[in-house]
Amino acid sequence: MSTWFPKGQQKIIPTYGKHRGAKLLATLDYETVDIYWEEHEQYDAQVFLSFLQNAASKYPEGKTFMVLDNARIHHAKLLQPFLDQNAGKSELMFLPPYSPELNIVEGLWEWLKQSVKCRLYSTNKSVSTQSQ
C-alpha cells in the first residue's frame, strides 16, 4: 500500500463518525399508501415481534397481509405465539428468494437511499438526516 508519508513514519489520522446504516422496519398500506415505520438500534426476532404487535394495533380492523422477504428473523419460532393468536387477523406472506422487485416497500427504501443524505458525528447517538 502506498501513502504520502515517508516509509516507517506513517501517521495515524483520527476519523470521526462511523458508517452506520439505519435499521428501519416499515409497512406500506397498498390502499391508503399509509406508511407505518420504526427505527431500531438492532434488528432481531424480538424487535420484529414488537414491530408486528405495533403494526397489528395500528391496523385493528380487517385482515392484514404482510409481504416479507425470507430473512431468518421473519421465520423465528419466537413469532409463532403471536401468529397463532392473530391467525384470522394477520398473515405473513413470503416472497420468492431474491425478488425484492415484488415488494413495494423496497421502492421506499430505494427512494430513501437516493434522497436522504446522512451526516456523521463522533458518536452514534448524534445522527441527523437532511433532504437533498
Side-chain angles (χ1 to χ4, degrees):
M1 180 175 174
S2 299
T3 66
W4 53 268
F5 295 109
K7 190 171 183 174
Q9 298 178 19
Q10 287 86 357
K11 305 243 188 258
I12 296 174
I13 301 171
T15 59
Y16 300 97
K18 176 181 169 182
H19 183 72
R20 177 179 169 253
K23 310 280 191 298
L24 299 175
L25 297 162
T27 62
L28 176 59
D29 186 319
Y30 287 97
E31 292 179 359
T32 65
V33 195
D34 179 46
I35 298 169
Y36 171 70
W37 64 276
E38 296 177 5
E39 181 178 7
H40 294 273
E41 288 292 319
Q42 62 183 16
Y43 187 49
D44 60 18
Q46 185 61 52
V47 169
F48 184 60
L49 174 59
S50 174
F51 176 74
L52 288 177
Q53 293 165 335
N54 295 341
S57 66
K58 169 102 173 107
Y59 302 105
E61 301 297 321
K63 185 169 185 176
T64 301
F65 293 92
M66 191 173 292
V67 178
L68 301 165
D69 61 19
N70 284 285
R72 290 179 68 183
I73 65 167
H74 297 155
H75 295 280
K77 292 178 183 177
L78 176 70
L79 307 177
Q80 203 55 54
F82 170 83
L83 295 173
D84 291 342
Q85 182 180 0
N86 291 281
K89 187 174 176 334
S90 297
E91 186 173 336
L92 305 183
M93 300 173 64
F94 295 97
L95 294 172
Y98 308 106
S99 57
E101 71 280 359
L102 299 177
N103 191 346
I104 196 168
V105 82
E106 292 294 339
L108 172 63
W109 302 144
E110 184 63 30
W111 174 83
L112 280 172
K113 288 176 186 176
Q114 293 176 0
S115 303
V116 177
K117 179 173 71 174
C118 292
R119 294 191 178 172
L120 301 178
Y121 296 88
S122 61
T123 68
N124 288 347
K125 297 182 190 231
S126 300
V127 177
S128 65
T129 58
Q130 174 183 354
S131 295
Q132 291 182 344

